Amino acid sequence: MATAPKSQTDSKPAEKEVLLRVEGITKIYDGTIKAVDDVSLTVTKGEIFGLLGGSGCGKSTLLRMLAGFEQPTKGRIFLENQDITNIPSYQRPINMMFQSYALFPHLSVWENIAFGLKRDHLPKEQIAERVEAMLSLAQLNKYAQRKPHQLSGGQQQRVALVRSLAKRPKLLLLDEPLGALDKKLRESTQLELVNIIEEVGVTCVLVTHDQEEAMTMASRIAVMAEGYFLQVGEPDTVYEMPNSRQVADFIGNVNMFEGVIEEDEADHVTVRCPECVHYVGHGISGHQGQSVSVALRPEKIMLSKDKPAGEYNWCEGEVVEIVYFGDHTTYHLKTSTGKVIKAQEMNNTRDLSCGLTWGDRAYMHWNDLAMVVLTQ
Ligand code: ADP
Ligand code: MG
């Protein structure tokens, strides 16, 4: 009997030219380890597509099949409508940049970039022209004669990127490209890489386990688990409208309330939970009496010392933890049921603490479009 694929079908942005199409691809290692499970995917020209998921969920395996380093057990890969499933990696117009980006230490920046072009026996003048163009792109003209160890981590990363772009691949694959950099450098390098990628207009599939990296770099992301796609969409859609508990949990911070649908109307739903009653300002596909989870992000919760009006969308708690992050502070409040809820307040002024300290009682409240009702 045929079973429906677990993977979410991908939502291709309308009316854009498709570069890469993957149809029902599966990889089983050693006859038993299902690393990628019936994944379909469409990537349009110029897009940066992010594969996001925890360690071992199959991201690298999927990427390696695109590169041709791994043969799929099932399924097909098309590049510009040409079936490339059986084409060897070196004949694919695809380049992969690895996490350990391995610049040749004994070669200068210039020679590192020229390396692949020389191996392809391009004419000398053409090599020089391309290397100069790549150096400008990476803003590293001044450093052309330096060795990799004479560059900062971010500069080395830029060399590695333009080196993989020098052969003008149609598709660039990035596997955890910034894994080796520290947080601050990662953030600035993320934007630099996106600028370079957009300037040359190359299509890109990016693998990362870091959700902020996926959100800042990619135009669409696929959240992966156990070899399949849980959700595919633009970063803000996946963040604001996760389709399952698993996605809500994986992307960002979330408070999860367990409850039962009480009123189920076309324009609103109410969900009764032990801590509070949620009034959701739109209809959902559920039914009265159904058990659901309500996901509510900490930044959507406001704190006050005064009891909110009405009976919905608030609960009381005791401040049990205050975590200061500089730009914002997260307050942990324990409700009468023992559940701890996180509320995040922006530190808009230098007068911190919004008047709350450990042991204080306060009210958390939120508006009726702040939460997501999840049925799976
Ligand atoms: P990720 O990149 O998301 O961390 P991988 O694609 O590397 O995940 O791995 C997915 C699963 O496949 C893991 O269970 C991993 O142990 C397994 N796996 C990866 N490569 C091989 C291989 N060459 N042989 C056998 N199993 C592998
Ligand atoms: Mg990996």
Side-chain angles (χ1 to χ4, degrees):
M1 192 181 78
T3 52
K6 278 185 274 187
S7 233
Q8 282 297 301
T9 33
D10 164 35
S11 58
K12 168 177 88 77
E15 288 164 36
K16 289 202 182 140
E17 209 176 329
V18 171
L19 182 91
L20 172 74
R21 201 172 80 242
V22 173
E23 284 181 1
I25 208 173
T26 295
K27 179 69 189 181
I28 301 172
Y29 288 113
D30 307 328
T32 50
I33 306 162
K34 204 179 240 184
V36 173
D37 186 0
D38 197 11
V39 163
S40 294
L41 164 69
T42 317
V43 179
T44 59
K45 274 202 176 134
E47 193 174 18
I48 302 179
F49 189 89
L51 294 175
L52 176 64
S55 179
C57 72
K59 305 179 296 293
S60 294
T61 300
L62 180 51
L63 212 62
R64 293 170 59 79
M65 289 192 285
L66 299 180
F69 301 145
E70 212 72 74
Q71 197 55 28
T73 310
K74 220 176 72 187
R76 311 232 56 93
I77 304 169
F78 298 87
L79 198 75
E80 290 182 322
N81 279 325
Q82 190 202 347
D83 188 339
I84 59 162
T85 318
N86 297 317
I87 292 183
S89 63
Y90 59 88
Q91 284 176 359
R92 298 185 186 190
I94 296 178
N95 210 337
M96 180 139 160
M97 184 174 119
F98 295 92
Q99 175 173 7
S100 54
Y101 40 83
L103 295 172
F104 302 112
H106 56 287
L107 297 183
S108 69
V109 168
W110 203 100
E111 288 162 329
N112 260 286
I113 299 172
F115 188 84
L117 304 174
K118 284 188 181 166
R119 206 175 41 187
D120 284 357
H121 305 295
L122 252 68
K124 249 195 173 137
E125 310 75 59
Q126 207 174 340
I127 293 178
E129 205 176 289
R130 284 222 202 154
V131 173
E132 293 301 327
M134 288 299 128
L135 284 169
S136 304
L137 197 58
Q139 298 180 333
L140 289 170
N141 307 69
K142 285 197 298 209
Y143 303 102
Q145 294 315 320
R146 289 208 191 171
K147 298 278 167 63
H149 74 271
Q150 295 168 312
L151 300 176
S152 72
Q155 290 168 334
Q156 291 180 31
Q157 197 71 54
R158 268 145 53 200
V159 176
L161 178 67
V162 295
R163 183 179 65 173
S164 49
L165 290 173
K167 286 170 79 170
R168 299 188 182 158
K170 288 189 173 147
L171 180 65
L172 177 68
L173 307 173
L174 303 170
D175 195 352
E176 309 264 2
L178 305 176
L181 304 182
D182 63 50
K183 186 170 163 54
K184 190 115 196 180
L185 191 54
R186 275 174 90 102
E187 282 172 10
S188 57
T189 312
Q190 278 162 11
L191 296 179
E192 287 169 4
L193 294 196
V194 169
N195 287 339
I196 293 175
I197 290 165
E198 286 180 346
E199 199 164 323
V200 291
V202 70
T203 310
C204 206
V205 178
L206 160 81
V207 159
T208 177
H209 66 272
D210 177 341
Q211 54 120 348
E212 276 178 26
E213 187 160 297
M215 299 265 210
T216 44
M217 292 185 72
S219 46
R220 280 188 309 146
I221 56 178
V223 185
M224 274 187 92
E226 294 166 26
Y228 61 95
F229 288 176
L230 294 169
Q231 186 169 3
V232 185
E234 289 173 17
D236 55 336
T237 309
V238 176
Y239 185 83
E240 299 293 352
M241 283 177 280
N243 65 359
S244 60
R245 295 177 181 94
Q246 218 177 336
V247 172
D249 234 359
F250 187 76
I251 308 268
N253 272 309
V254 73
N255 297 295
M256 208 69 88
F257 297 81
E258 304 306 324
V260 171
I261 297 179
E262 220 168 47
E263 292 171 49
D264 175 25
E265 304 292 338
D267 66 340
H268 76 270
V269 222
T270 61
V271 179
R272 181 167 294 276
C273 302
E275 296 78 21
C276 58
V277 182
H278 290 281
Y279 181 100
V280 182
H282 55 78
I284 63 157
S285 58
H287 57 83
Q288 209 180 19
Q290 185 177 353
S291 293
V292 293
S293 301
V294 178
L296 180 61
R297 302 237 182 244
E299 73 271 17
K300 308 265 195 290
I301 300 181
M302 295 158 280
L303 293 173
S304 73
K305 287 188 163 172
D306 304 320
K307 188 171 172 174
E311 54 186 308
Y312 301 121
N313 295 348
W314 62 267
C315 69
E316 198 192 359
E318 180 193 334
V319 178
V320 290
E321 190 79 73
I322 301 176
V323 189
Y324 176 64
F325 288 95
D327 59 341
H328 71 270
T329 299
T330 302
Y331 295 83
H332 298 207
L333 290 100
K334 193 175 195 167
T335 67
S336 58
T337 64
K339 184 184 180 64
V340 175
I341 296 172
K342 290 181 194 166
Q344 183 178 312
E345 305 297 294
M346 290 308 293
N347 293 325
N348 294 327
T349 67
R350 288 165 63 201
D351 165 29
L352 299 173
S353 80
C354 66
L356 286 176
T357 186
W358 278 269
D360 280 355
R361 300 200 68 78
Y363 294 94
M364 297 163 268
H365 57 103
W366 51 93
N367 74 43
D368 61 7
L369 297 175
M371 58 300 233
V372 184
V373 181
L374 299 168
T375 55
Q376 56 174 351

